[in-house]
Amino acid sequence: MAQRRVTDYFARRRSGPPACLPRAKQVLRTPSPAKPAPGVPAPALSDPPGGSRKRPRPAADPAHDEPAPPARRRLRLPLPPTPEPADAVPTPSSSIASGSSACSPPGKKIKKASLPSGQRPCLAAQGDKVPGKDTISELQACLQQARKLGARVQALRAYAQEGDAKQSSVPEPEGHPAEPCGEKAPAYQRFHALAQPGVPGLVLPYKYQVLAEMFRSMDTVVGMLHNRTEAVTFAKVKQGVQDMMHRRFEERNVGQIKTVYPASYRFRQERNIPTFKDGIKRSDYQLTIEPLLDQDASRAAPQLTASWLLQRRRIFSRNLVARVKEHHKAFLATLDPPMEVPEDQLTRWHPCFNVDEVPDIEPAELPRPPPTEKLVTAQELLARARSLMSPRMEKALNDLALRTAEPSSPGSPCPVLPATPPAAHNALKGVSQALLERIRAKEAQKQLAQMTRRPEQEQRLRQLERLPELARVLRGVFVSERKPALTMEVACARMVGSYHTAMSLGDMEQHLQLLAELLPDWLTLHHIRTDTYLKLDKAADLVGLTVRLAHLARTEEGL
């Protein structure tokens, strides 16, 4: 039995035309420039000489009078189908006239190519394009839903416009203007007091510290100019302070300095001061600054020396602290129960007192240039130039003066609503009022002791808080060394390496001395020649010792 060929390619190519008509590719056809007359068959293409084998083109269908496609053509992508209205029914002429299939889906092209020659393809296309009843009902439902959504959007838009109109019509009280979001102070200014290192004390707000730095810079510049017997003007001081601080320095800051320290400078408005700037004339008034110093009988003009600068700086800082104490005193009066702390015993602010929210210092009024005679209104101009104008112009100016002389009625200020007292917390409902009063009195006593605590007491309290942990570490050191006594140097070195916080040897020795002072029955110090030895009772209960130390710390904190 002979073996069959794997691919019968040449036999298939040389065979006659296929039994079925090929699929017509309407998209790839291009109109031919020379269209043959109807009824004349197209000449058959013969194989070109040279032995090249090409697939013969199928014979043109006599039912279609379209020209044959050229040998080489460019591929054209089909366009998306254009939507047609539901009530438009295509006619046979329109379906025949559409030669390209760019507007019809690919499924319809296949049906049209596979129809026999006896049928008319336009009728099939016409039947495909007629929408059914289900499609019309779906379109109507979608249209109705779109109308409902449009009506709802219009209603919401009208409601939003009414809300905006009501908000704009509500008058804003004059005492509490709305602060814009951009004027909120940054966090490093609002929480400046909390970020200060060391033991808490009478820390100034951030804006007060900036004002103190401005005073120091201003005093330095004024002292340099004053010692050279040079006229001290605000323009010169402003430039010098801004170069030193890299901040804006305005007349408002000078007014704040005058409010805090009124006896620091004397301010005047003077002119005929020589200037070397084009923007300032010699005849213009300028704000001059003169430092106020104690006049010495031997010297006519005292110098602003370094000692004077330090003394004035201390006075300015004391005045700032005094201003903050006034606000702190007012805050203590609003507490429940009210508290009163003597100013000479106050060492730190109340824990609930927000230092950085202290109101800003109101600037004092500085001298202004004397008013010059200027013609501002038409009445003044008419009184001056009545003899220099015609009667018609005089009448016009009279009418203008009458219209501008009518005072505009100023709007009545809105009354400021009184502040309502804070309502009681819901969690305190049902609690005895006497119990609440005792708790508040105890808390006030604790806060009063905290505000009047001296720095030495604060340091001792911190040492007492560390003692329970240090007692456990010290017992572990004695157990690991297996000795009845240790020198102070060895014990401090072992404890510094075992404690969780970095501490110097001197501080550790102070803690051990305090521990021996509070617990003499557990830890004893023995001074032998030049060394100090520590002896520990290992049989003592460590838990009871830590409880005693914690009780001593609480007692010390309540004092």
Side-chain angles (χ1 to χ4, degrees):
M1 183 175 181
Q3 184 180 1
R4 295 186 59 184
R5 294 173 63 107
V6 180
T7 304
D8 197 4
Y9 179 75
F10 295 100
R12 290 173 182 264
R13 288 194 60 179
R14 292 180 179 181
S15 61
C20 60
L21 293 174
R23 185 175 63 180
K25 296 184 179 179
Q26 301 290 343
V27 181
L28 304 177
R29 292 184 179 181
T30 55
S32 178
K35 184 177 181 181
V40 179
L45 296 175
S46 60
D47 294 340
S52 62
R53 297 176 180 178
K54 292 185 179 180
R55 184 178 297 178
R57 297 185 182 276
D61 192 359
H64 301 280
D65 54 353
E66 298 177 356
R72 296 182 180 178
R73 52 192 176 274
R74 183 178 298 175
L75 180 61
R76 294 184 181 179
L77 298 177
L79 299 175
T82 55
E84 297 183 359
D87 55 350
V89 180
T91 59
S93 59
S94 62
S95 62
I96 294 174
S98 61
S100 65
S101 61
C103 299
S104 60
K108 295 183 180 180
K109 295 190 296 181
I110 297 173
K111 291 182 180 179
K112 182 176 179 181
S114 61
L115 288 176
S117 60
Q119 293 184 358
R120 299 180 63 182
C122 61
L123 296 178
Q126 181 179 356
D128 293 340
K129 291 185 180 180
V130 175
K133 295 182 179 180
D134 298 339
T135 308
I136 295 176
S137 60
E138 292 177 0
L139 291 175
Q140 291 179 354
C142 292
L143 182 60
Q144 187 176 3
Q145 186 178 3
R147 289 174 180 173
K148 290 181 180 180
L149 291 175
R152 185 178 179 183
V153 168
Q154 291 180 0
L156 291 175
R157 188 177 300 171
Y159 179 75
Q161 291 178 358
E162 291 179 0
D164 295 342
K166 289 181 180 180
Q167 290 181 0
S168 60
S169 61
V170 174
E172 186 178 351
E174 293 182 0
H176 304 277
E179 296 182 357
C181 300
E183 294 185 0
K184 185 177 180 181
Y188 75 92
Q189 296 183 10
R190 289 184 282 117
F191 307 106
H192 175 262
L194 301 178
Q196 296 303 311
V199 180
L202 300 179
V203 183
L204 290 175
Y206 179 79
K207 47 192 173 185
Y208 283 21
Q209 291 189 4
V210 172
L211 187 63
E213 187 67 19
M214 286 183 176
F215 175 76
R216 184 190 68 84
S217 304
M218 178 179 176
D219 223 20
T220 303
V221 176
V222 170
M224 293 174 60
L225 298 175
H226 175 74
N227 294 339
R228 293 186 305 195
T229 63
E230 185 178 346
V232 184
T233 61
F234 173 73
K236 299 177 183 178
V237 174
K238 176 181 179 181
Q239 185 64 34
V241 173
Q242 291 184 161
D243 291 344
M244 294 177 64
M245 295 192 60
H246 301 283
R247 274 181 189 273
R248 292 178 60 87
F249 186 71
E250 305 292 343
E251 289 189 8
R252 180 177 180 274
N253 305 121
V254 179
Q256 290 177 338
I257 291 174
K258 183 180 179 181
T259 302
V260 177
Y261 192 5
S264 57
Y265 301 104
R266 181 185 292 113
F267 301 96
R268 290 192 296 264
Q269 286 286 345
E270 299 180 1
R271 60 181 179 178
N272 296 328
I273 297 177
T275 58
F276 303 96
K277 293 185 179 180
D278 297 335
I280 302 177
K281 298 180 181 180
R282 188 184 181 94
S283 59
D284 293 343
Y285 282 93
Q286 297 187 54
L287 180 64
T288 58
I289 304 171
E290 180 185 356
L292 296 178
L293 305 174
D294 293 340
Q295 295 288 341
D296 193 359
S298 59
R299 302 183 61 180
Q303 298 289 319
L304 191 58
T305 59
S307 58
W308 274 110
L309 294 178
L310 291 175
Q311 181 180 353
R312 290 159 64 90
R313 191 185 309 173
R314 294 193 193 100
I315 295 174
F316 192 83
S317 299
R318 286 201 299 266
N319 294 347
L320 288 177
V321 173
R323 282 187 166 271
V324 182
K325 283 183 178 180
E326 293 178 0
H327 296 289
H328 183 258
K329 185 178 180 180
F331 170 78
L332 295 180
T334 59
L335 297 177
D336 188 16
M339 300 176 61
E340 185 176 357
V341 183
E343 292 187 1
D344 55 344
Q345 299 180 8
L346 185 66
T347 58
R348 67 169 63 182
W349 309 120
H350 192 275
C352 299
F353 178 64
N354 196 344
V355 185
D356 294 302
E357 290 188 359
V358 172
D360 205 354
I361 299 174
E362 292 295 331
E365 186 178 357
L366 297 176
R368 296 296 176 186
T372 57
E373 189 176 1
K374 295 182 180 180
L375 301 178
V376 179
T377 61
Q379 187 71 28
E380 297 176 358
L381 180 61
L382 181 62
R384 272 293 183 88
R386 186 178 297 274
S387 60
L388 303 177
M389 61 184 65
S390 60
R392 187 175 180 181
M393 184 178 297
E394 183 179 355
K395 182 180 179 182
L397 288 176
N398 281 327
D399 296 341
L400 182 60
L402 292 176
R403 285 198 301 269
T404 56
E406 297 177 358
S408 58
S409 59
S412 59
C414 300
V416 180
L417 299 178
T420 58
H425 199 273
N426 296 332
L428 301 179
K429 290 183 178 180
V431 183
S432 174
Q433 190 67 23
L435 178 61
L436 290 176
E437 292 295 334
R438 288 198 300 271
I439 294 174
R440 287 168 181 165
K442 189 175 180 180
E443 186 69 21
Q445 183 182 1
K446 182 179 178 180
Q447 293 174 353
L448 180 61
Q450 184 179 4
M451 287 186 293
T452 57
R453 191 176 298 148
R454 295 190 301 274
E456 298 81 8
Q457 296 177 349
E458 184 71 26
Q459 184 179 1
R460 179 180 174 84
L461 183 60
R462 289 179 179 275
Q463 292 177 353
L464 289 174
E465 292 175 354
R466 301 190 189 103
L467 287 185
E469 181 66 23
L470 290 176
R472 286 190 288 268
V473 174
L474 181 61
R475 188 178 184 277
V477 169
F478 270 89
V479 170
S480 63
E481 293 291 336
R482 297 180 182 182
K483 293 180 180 180
L486 293 174
T487 60
M488 181 67 76
E489 291 79 5
V490 174
C492 291
R494 298 291 188 274
M495 292 187 67
V496 166
S498 302
Y499 194 56
H500 60 84
T501 304
M503 192 179 297
S504 63
L505 294 176
D507 293 342
M508 185 61 68
E509 185 176 352
Q510 292 179 4
H511 283 79
L512 291 180
Q513 292 176 358
L514 181 61
L515 190 61
E517 178 186 348
L518 297 177
L519 301 176
D521 55 343
W522 181 65
L523 180 65
T524 56
L525 301 179
H526 301 276
H527 301 280
I528 300 176
R529 295 181 182 178
T530 58
D531 294 335
T532 303
Y533 289 88
L534 281 75
K535 193 172 182 180
L536 185 69
D537 185 9
K538 300 180 184 178
D541 184 16
L542 187 61
V543 177
L545 295 175
T546 55
V547 171
R548 287 171 57 186
L549 290 174
H551 178 68
L552 289 173
R554 287 195 299 269
T555 305
E556 190 82 15
E557 187 179 2
L559 295 178

